[in-house]
Amino acid sequence: MKYQEKHCWLCLLSLSLLLLFWLGHLIRDLLSPAGQSNGLRGYMRITPGKMDQVLHMHCSQCALVSSSGQMLGAGLGEEIDKVGCVIRMNNAPTQGYEKDVGNRTSIRVVSHTSVPLLVKNESYYFNQSAGTIYVFWGPERNMRQDGHGHTFNTLLKIAKKYANVKIYTVTREKIQYCDGVFQNETGKNRMKTGAFLSTGFFTMILAIDMCDSIHVYGMIDYNYCSRANHSVVPYHYYERNRLNECRMYHVHEHTQRGGHRFITEKAIYAKWATRHKMEFKHPSWSL
């Protein structure tokens, strides 16, 4: 009888230790910063033959550099390059603009519509900038993986050609999550209002996922264009002859179908800045 009791106690002790070990791992995963344990779910790597690698990225400080003409003459390049992780968008170049926007690029978030622009200059983006991580987003019809997703097929060819370049796609579930965030913040269904989320929106979501603190450069606030003394700058710092920024924002905000709600999105970012460690520079925001 004593032997049986001793054996039962040993079994219970073993089970208890196993349970504590499992709980320890669970608590560690829950408390560890984004990207250090299970990675950033919602971002899958495009590699020939498989799609099961999530993005593992965590930064204590991030510089999110806008593509806005506000960056012209900013002279912030040296400051930006000193930040741990530098995030850029679409095809925004650094060559020729280093003094204002810096030279380093840790992550580049790219819209499906900008993929042809990167392919057009693929040597610059995927060869010279081989250390950059690329995150592409797009609608399901373009990103589907059954052979009929035009954009996904292009990215797969790039991944095969430049095997060392890390190329990720935003999953359908993550895009649906972002749609839900937009609706929760505005009370409006994105699709019913005829709006498309901007690359800036997906970039801000990613930055919140992976960065402890975010320094946003060159992004105007939602009231900027309504001020009488606002500066007139190009929509993009690298496209001088396009519509000016505020005019572009107003056109998109009020178009019935297919527009980005840039001004509404900026109002959402202002809310997020009260809940996350986020600072806006050049111009600075009064939160």
Side-chain angles (χ1 to χ4, degrees), residues 133-259:
I133 294 173
Y134 290 86
V135 177
F136 292 89
W137 71 271
E140 175 66 13
R141 66 179 181 275
N142 293 342
M143 303 300 287
R144 54 195 293 182
Q145 300 168 30
D146 60 358
H148 298 287
H150 176 72
T151 303
F152 180 83
N153 292 344
T154 299
L155 296 175
L156 188 57
K157 288 178 182 177
I158 292 291
K160 290 177 180 177
K161 187 173 181 180
Y162 301 95
N164 293 328
V165 178
K166 295 179 179 178
I167 299 176
Y168 291 81
T169 179
V170 181
T171 65
R172 179 176 59 181
E173 292 75 19
K174 190 69 173 182
I175 288 178
Q176 290 172 346
Y177 164 80
C178 291
D179 283 345
V181 170
F182 182 86
Q183 183 162 338
N184 288 338
E185 295 288 1
T186 64
K188 297 178 180 179
N189 181 280
R190 178 193 66 76
M191 295 185 71
K192 288 181 179 178
T193 59
F196 288 114
L197 296 178
S198 73
T199 299
F201 195 90
F202 289 104
T203 305
M204 192 67 79
I205 291 282
L206 173 60
I208 290 172
D209 283 347
M210 81 174 191
C211 309
D212 293 336
S213 65
I214 308 166
H215 306 279
V216 184
Y217 291 88
M219 187 179 288
I220 61 174
D221 65 54
Y222 64 97
N223 281 322
Y224 185 89
C225 293
S226 62
R227 299 184 190 120
N229 62 341
H230 73 264
S231 59
V232 177
V233 300
Y235 175 55
H236 289 147
Y237 66 79
Y238 51 92
E239 294 176 336
R240 305 295 180 90
N241 297 321
R242 294 288 295 275
L243 279 173
N244 74 59
E245 182 173 55
C246 284
R247 192 174 298 170
M248 181 71 83
Y249 277 24
H250 282 304
V251 168
H252 272 268
E253 191 73 18
H254 300 294
T255 190
Q256 291 187 347
R257 301 297 304 176

Side-chain angles (χ1 to χ4, degrees), residues 83-96:
V83 180
C85 295
V86 181
I87 308 169
R88 303 187 193 275
M89 289 174 275
N90 293 322
N91 60 313
T94 56
Q95 278 186 341

Side-chain angles (χ1 to χ4, degrees), residues 61-89 92 97-102 104 200 203-204 207 213-221 235 237 245 249 266 269 278-285:
Q61 289 194 18
C62 291
L64 195 166
V65 185
S66 167
S67 302
S68 165
Q70 298 287 338
M71 295 305 297
L72 290 171
L76 293 166
E78 188 176 345
E79 179 182 326
I80 289 169
D81 280 340
K82 288 179 180 177
V83 180
C85 295
V86 181
I87 308 169
R88 303 187 193 275
M89 289 174 275
Y97 302 94
E98 293 89 346
K99 185 177 179 181
D100 292 330
V101 304
R104 293 178 49 244
T203 305
M204 192 67 79
S213 65
I214 308 166
H215 306 279
V216 184
Y217 291 88
M219 187 179 288
I220 61 174
D221 65 54
Y235 175 55
Y237 66 79
E245 182 173 55
Y249 277 24
K266 301 298 186 290
Y269 304 157
M278 195 181 298
E279 180 185 13
F280 295 86
K281 297 185 176 184
H282 200 79
S284 60
W285 291 23

Side-chain angles (χ1 to χ4, degrees), residues 44-65:
M44 301 297 293
R45 186 169 180 181
I46 299 177
T47 51
K50 58 181 179 178
M51 282 280 294
D52 58 357
Q53 297 180 40
V54 298
L55 175 60
H56 285 266
M57 189 79 174
H58 173 258
C59 306
S60 59
Q61 289 194 18
C62 291
L64 195 166
V65 185

